[in-house]
Amino acid sequence: MEGRRVVTVSALQFACSDDVSTNVDKAERLVRNAQKKGANIVLIQELFEGYYFCQAQREEFFRRAKPSKGHPTILRMQKLAKELGIVIPVSFFEEENNAHYNSIVVIDADGENLGLYRKSHIPDGPGYQEKFYFNPGDTGFKVFETKFAKIGVAICWDQWFPEAARAMVLQGAEILFYPTAIGSEPQDQGLDSREHWKRVMQGHAGANLVPLVASNRIGKEIITTEHGNSEITFYGNSFIAGPTGEIVAAANDKDEDILIAEFDLDMIKSKRHSWGVFRDRRPDLYKVLLTLDGSQPSL
């Protein structure tokens, strides 16, 4: 009888200050606690080194960006991953010459940096003015072969696009990970997207028959903008979904948390293959997805 490939995943949820060392210390503490709970892969939320600065368009915030090579937080997480024998995706604000990206590196359980993904879909709206800071990612959707699983990692706004999830699973991703920063909408205090947010990603899990891990921050963050203060209350609700979209672990909207879930990847693989959604795909009919306006491209 073949051995089972069982992996335990974790999503962290915490409030950020605007001090890098404080946040990275907190992230390390929670990563260590997740590993003690049995986690093999631990997801930290998006841009966890500080406040979500994209509420404002401020020139000085570009100073927060650093190249991936020699990045102090990445180096620290490499050391931590190797010590604990776990996989850690690390979100950061990347500077590459005159380009800037919302990026993530995946650190394997031996501390090796497996490579870089740059956020593909860049939002632009009140409170989430990322187009001021980030170039559209140029890496394409990627899969990282870690010690424990082949994983796909995308970032926040990417999670609203079914094409991104499908592209990663087509490349062999066995689990999807989404670090996130989402909360209230400064222009409309009555708008609460949390249930919509969860349902969309549950759909990705169910449509692709893979587990999915989403890590979001909590807390109120106030940023001075060119038009006064902007305020977002991040709503947490970090969760882990199983391969039919079912939520197997969930956090609330205000408390620091460490979510844990275990999955048998070989059993899920068998169910994914037998369900037939990948067998019955018709890529020849999907060319319309390559257009913006839905027009049928010429054959």
Side-chain angles (χ1 to χ4, degrees), residues 42-95:
V42 182
L43 184 64
I44 311 171
Q45 61 218 32
E46 181 187 18
L47 298 171
F48 64 90
E49 290 182 293
Y51 276 172
Y52 178 75
F53 55 86
C54 306
Q55 290 194 61
Q57 297 186 15
R58 287 172 52 180
E59 181 180 315
E60 65 266 28
F61 285 169
F62 280 100
R63 297 174 196 154
R64 298 174 180 232
K66 293 182 176 65
S68 59
K69 185 176 181 180
H71 193 293
T73 298
I74 294 173
L75 293 174
R76 181 170 172 180
M77 290 298 162
Q78 286 183 265
K79 182 179 178 182
L80 181 64
K82 183 176 182 179
E83 176 193 339
L84 300 179
I86 61 173
V87 174
I88 311 174
V90 182
S91 170
F92 69 106
F93 184 10
E94 181 192 6
E95 177 184 291

Side-chain angles (χ1 to χ4, degrees), residues 40-298:
N40 305 122
I41 307 174
V42 182
L43 184 64
I44 311 171
Q45 61 218 32
E46 181 187 18
L47 298 171
F48 64 90
E49 290 182 293
Y51 276 172
Y52 178 75
F53 55 86
C54 306
Q55 290 194 61
Q57 297 186 15
R58 287 172 52 180
E59 181 180 315
E60 65 266 28
F61 285 169
F62 280 100
R63 297 174 196 154
R64 298 174 180 232
K66 293 182 176 65
S68 59
K69 185 176 181 180
H71 193 293
T73 298
I74 294 173
L75 293 174
R76 181 170 172 180
M77 290 298 162
Q78 286 183 265
K79 182 179 178 182
L80 181 64
K82 183 176 182 179
E83 176 193 339
L84 300 179
I86 61 173
V87 174
I88 311 174
V90 182
S91 170
F92 69 106
F93 184 10
E94 181 192 6
E95 177 184 291
E96 182 62 27
N97 295 322
N98 289 304
H100 295 82
Y101 301 98
N102 187 336
S103 298
I104 195 157
V105 295
V106 175
I107 309 302
D108 207 357
D110 61 358
E112 181 185 356
N113 184 336
L114 295 180
L116 178 76
Y117 167 72
R118 291 167 171 162
K119 187 173 182 176
S120 301
H121 303 93
I122 310 298
D124 185 29
Y128 302 90
Q129 299 178 58
E130 295 196 14
K131 279 188 167 66
F132 181 76
Y133 296 101
F134 307 131
N135 295 84
D138 58 359
T139 58
F141 303 111
K142 300 175 70 172
V143 168
F144 301 89
E145 188 158 1
T146 76
K147 176 180 178 180
F148 302 105
K150 292 181 180 178
I151 67 173
V153 185
I155 302 169
C156 202
W157 190 226
D158 288 331
Q159 68 207 356
W160 293 87
F161 296 84
E163 298 89 346
R166 177 53 56 88
M168 290 185 283
V169 179
L170 282 173
Q171 294 177 77
E174 299 173 293
I175 312 170
L176 298 178
F177 291 84
Y178 291 98
T180 301
I182 189 169
S184 58
E185 305 289 339
Q187 84 283 6
D188 183 357
Q189 292 300 317
L191 177 59
D192 187 340
S193 64
R194 73 187 70 189
E195 297 304 322
H196 185 186
W197 174 75
K198 287 186 280 191
R199 285 192 295 266
V200 168
M201 283 185 284
Q202 288 175 258
H204 299 335
N208 291 288
L209 285 96
V210 294
L212 184 150
V213 183
S215 173
N216 189 25
R217 66 176 67 198
I218 51 173
K220 180 186 293 186
E221 297 180 14
I222 301 173
I223 297 286
T224 301
T225 78
E226 61 275 22
H227 305 297
N229 287 341
S230 177
E231 175 184 305
I232 294 178
T233 300
F234 293 92
Y235 56 56
N237 278 254
S238 302
F239 70 94
I240 302 172
T244 65
E246 76 281 18
I247 291 183
V248 298
N252 64 26
D253 63 357
K254 63 181 182 300
D255 293 323
E256 185 176 289
D257 210 343
I258 300 170
L259 303 180
I260 298 285
E262 180 183 277
F263 296 104
D264 184 328
L265 296 183
D266 286 332
M267 183 179 70
I268 294 171
K269 178 180 179 180
S270 295
K271 289 185 180 296
R272 182 166 59 250
H273 290 178
S274 65
W275 198 246
V277 293
F278 287 92
R279 178 197 64 210
D280 296 338
R281 291 185 69 251
R282 291 291 306 278
D284 55 312
L285 301 181
Y286 304 156
K287 292 182 177 64
V288 68
L289 296 178
L290 300 178
T291 71
L292 288 174
D293 64 1
S295 59
Q296 288 285 352
S298 57

